[in-house]
Amino acid sequence: MHLKAFAKKSTRSTTLAAAITLVAGSLLTSAANLWAATPITVKFAHVVAENTPKGKAALRFQELMHERLGDKVKVEVYPNSQLFGDDKVLEAMLLGDVQIAAPSLSKFQKYTKQLQIFDLPFLFKDMAAVDRFQQGPVGQKLLTSLERKGLMGLGYIHNGMKHLSAYDPIRVPADAAGKKFRIQTSDVLAAQFEAVDAVPLKKPFSEVFTLLQTRAIDGTENPWTNIYSKKFFEVQPYITETNHGLLDYMVVTSARFWKKLPDEVRTEMKKAMDEAIAYGNQVAREQEEKDRQLIIDSGVTQVISIGEQERALWVEAMRPVWKEFEKEIGADVIQAALDANQP
Ligand code: SIN
């Protein structure tokens, strides 16, 4: 090409490139301005009271996000099933009607069978063992078990070990036979009650108090903070301290929502969530004992402790449930949970 013509063409393409850079730059700036100008709304829905480990973790998350991102992100927390019950919240999340939830680990069976591990009776020795399992490689992998369904696990929040409450004193499995117990939507929990010849009824958390008060059911299972904050103890004269199972949570969000967030928002949100979870777990450790004592001090319900022999009867009756669900959960996952019992 002639030198003059080349110089002219090259000036034209430099001008074109500059123009493209300018347009792209201004598009990016206006996208950034757009998200800065339009706050991102994050609805966090849960079913428990605000004065519980999960309730407090949700509020801490809201606080941290406000501190760090100001008005760019608006976190709205809906406790006490105000927005959705746990039976609807995950569907609502996939539709974009709620962005964060933390259902009990017993409520995911429609989405994955693997999380059923957390419902196996008498599996974890104590909450320290639960923590080791959740933070270990298998527990962390389980956070991804919902990905095929479009959901992502962001972490685990503790509540605590469950106890049986009822209208009659329950000490040994035979005392539970024939009684109706409200359970969460979990086949493992159904099998656990069937193993002692009791009648399990899957009902939403928001209905439990009324079901107990009207004696439509005889009893239920929950950790101390739920029994106290939802006043179940006021309509249950007996609570047997069985520590027979776990009630913990997985914080979840929709993969679609998460991926669409601007990078800096996603990073801050994950950091804030990790801190809120750590705070919630500390609350769980402290509040469990406090709420237990408040229930005892109320004098309206009697807390029954069981001895080693009685405990052995419960274990013997309920342990066969492990075998029943081993295939769905995975023998290796069960083994990893058992290994976590050794510090
Ligand atoms: C919860 O703690 O989130 C509710 C548990 C239940 O449904 O019993």
Short mmCIF file of all heavy atoms in Angstrom, two decimals, residues 47-48 54 86 104 107 159 182 184 205 222 226 247 249, ligand 1:
data_model
loop_
_atom_site.label_atom_id
_atom_site.label_comp_id
_atom_site.label_asym_id
_atom_site.label_seq_id
_atom_site.Cartn_x
_atom_site.Cartn_y
_atom_site.Cartn_z
N VAL A 47 -38.24 -18.31 59.30
CA VAL A 47 -39.50 -18.64 59.99
C VAL A 47 -39.45 -18.50 61.51
O VAL A 47 -40.46 -18.63 62.18
CB VAL A 47 -39.97 -20.08 59.64
CG1 VAL A 47 -40.20 -20.24 58.16
CG2 VAL A 47 -38.96 -21.13 60.14
N VAL A 48 -38.23 -18.25 62.04
CA VAL A 48 -38.12 -18.21 63.51
C VAL A 48 -38.21 -16.77 64.02
O VAL A 48 -38.28 -15.81 63.24
CB VAL A 48 -36.81 -18.88 64.01
CG1 VAL A 48 -36.86 -20.38 63.80
CG2 VAL A 48 -35.59 -18.26 63.36
N LYS A 54 -30.61 -17.89 64.38
CA LYS A 54 -30.81 -17.54 62.97
C LYS A 54 -31.37 -16.13 62.84
O LYS A 54 -30.94 -15.36 61.98
CB LYS A 54 -31.77 -18.56 62.32
CG LYS A 54 -32.08 -18.27 60.87
CD LYS A 54 -32.71 -19.45 60.14
CE LYS A 54 -34.00 -19.95 60.71
NZ LYS A 54 -34.58 -21.05 59.92
N ASP A 86 -41.25 -22.18 55.18
CA ASP A 86 -40.18 -22.97 54.57
C ASP A 86 -40.67 -23.89 53.46
O ASP A 86 -39.89 -24.37 52.65
CB ASP A 86 -39.47 -23.80 55.65
CG ASP A 86 -38.48 -22.93 56.44
OD1 ASP A 86 -38.04 -21.90 55.91
OD2 ASP A 86 -38.17 -23.30 57.58
N SER A 104 -34.16 -24.95 57.79
CA SER A 104 -33.57 -26.05 58.55
C SER A 104 -33.09 -27.11 57.55
O SER A 104 -33.69 -27.32 56.49
CB SER A 104 -34.66 -26.61 59.46
OG SER A 104 -34.47 -27.98 59.64
N LYS A 107 -35.33 -29.57 55.63
CA LYS A 107 -36.37 -29.14 54.68
C LYS A 107 -35.92 -29.11 53.22
O LYS A 107 -36.53 -28.46 52.40
CB LYS A 107 -36.89 -27.77 55.11
CG LYS A 107 -37.64 -27.86 56.45
CD LYS A 107 -38.10 -26.53 56.95
CE LYS A 107 -38.88 -26.70 58.25
NZ LYS A 107 -39.08 -25.44 58.97
N ASN A 159 -28.33 -24.18 65.27
CA ASN A 159 -29.31 -23.91 66.30
C ASN A 159 -28.93 -24.81 67.47
O ASN A 159 -28.36 -24.33 68.43
CB ASN A 159 -30.75 -24.15 65.82
CG ASN A 159 -31.75 -23.68 66.87
OD1 ASN A 159 -31.46 -23.72 68.05
ND2 ASN A 159 -32.91 -23.21 66.46
N ARG A 182 -45.57 -33.57 65.71
CA ARG A 182 -45.33 -32.73 64.52
C ARG A 182 -43.86 -32.86 64.13
O ARG A 182 -42.97 -32.82 64.98
CB ARG A 182 -45.64 -31.26 64.84
CG ARG A 182 -45.31 -30.31 63.69
CD ARG A 182 -43.90 -29.75 63.77
NE ARG A 182 -43.53 -28.99 62.58
CZ ARG A 182 -42.40 -28.34 62.45
NH1 ARG A 182 -41.51 -28.33 63.41
NH2 ARG A 182 -42.12 -27.69 61.33
N GLN A 184 -40.86 -31.79 60.80
CA GLN A 184 -40.57 -31.01 59.60
C GLN A 184 -40.74 -31.93 58.37
O GLN A 184 -40.93 -33.14 58.54
CB GLN A 184 -39.15 -30.48 59.66
CG GLN A 184 -38.88 -29.67 60.92
CD GLN A 184 -37.41 -29.30 61.02
OE1 GLN A 184 -36.92 -28.48 60.26
NE2 GLN A 184 -36.71 -29.91 61.96
N PHE A 205 -43.85 -24.90 60.52
CA PHE A 205 -43.43 -24.40 61.83
C PHE A 205 -44.44 -23.39 62.38
O PHE A 205 -44.72 -23.37 63.58
CB PHE A 205 -42.05 -23.73 61.66
CG PHE A 205 -41.38 -23.33 62.94
CD1 PHE A 205 -41.06 -24.28 63.91
CD2 PHE A 205 -41.06 -22.01 63.18
CE1 PHE A 205 -40.41 -23.91 65.08
CE2 PHE A 205 -40.41 -21.63 64.36
CZ PHE A 205 -40.09 -22.59 65.31
N ASN A 222 -37.78 -30.06 69.11
CA ASN A 222 -37.13 -28.80 68.75
C ASN A 222 -35.98 -28.51 69.70
O ASN A 222 -35.93 -29.06 70.80
CB ASN A 222 -38.14 -27.64 68.81
CG ASN A 222 -38.50 -27.13 67.43
OD1 ASN A 222 -37.66 -26.57 66.72
ND2 ASN A 222 -39.73 -27.35 67.01
N ASN A 226 -35.91 -22.59 70.03
CA ASN A 226 -37.23 -22.58 69.36
C ASN A 226 -38.35 -22.84 70.36
O ASN A 226 -39.42 -22.22 70.29
CB ASN A 226 -37.30 -23.64 68.26
CG ASN A 226 -36.57 -23.20 66.99
OD1 ASN A 226 -36.00 -22.12 66.94
ND2 ASN A 226 -36.57 -24.04 65.97
N LEU A 247 -30.88 -29.70 64.85
CA LEU A 247 -31.60 -28.73 64.02
C LEU A 247 -30.64 -27.59 63.70
O LEU A 247 -30.32 -26.77 64.55
CB LEU A 247 -32.86 -28.19 64.71
CG LEU A 247 -33.90 -27.57 63.75
CD1 LEU A 247 -35.26 -27.49 64.40
CD2 LEU A 247 -33.49 -26.22 63.21
N TYR A 249 -29.09 -25.06 60.12
CA TYR A 249 -29.61 -24.41 58.90
C TYR A 249 -28.55 -24.32 57.81
O TYR A 249 -27.36 -24.23 58.11
CB TYR A 249 -30.03 -22.98 59.24
CG TYR A 249 -30.95 -22.89 60.42
CD1 TYR A 249 -30.50 -22.40 61.64
CD2 TYR A 249 -32.27 -23.31 60.32
CE1 TYR A 249 -31.34 -22.33 62.74
CE2 TYR A 249 -33.12 -23.23 61.42
CZ TYR A 249 -32.65 -22.75 62.63
OH TYR A 249 -33.49 -22.69 63.70
C1 SIN B 1 -36.53 -23.36 62.22
O1 SIN B 1 -35.85 -23.45 63.24
O2 SIN B 1 -36.22 -22.68 61.25
C2 SIN B 1 -37.84 -24.11 62.15
C3 SIN B 1 -37.69 -25.50 62.53
C4 SIN B 1 -38.96 -26.29 62.45
O3 SIN B 1 -39.70 -26.19 61.45
O4 SIN B 1 -39.22 -27.03 63.40
#
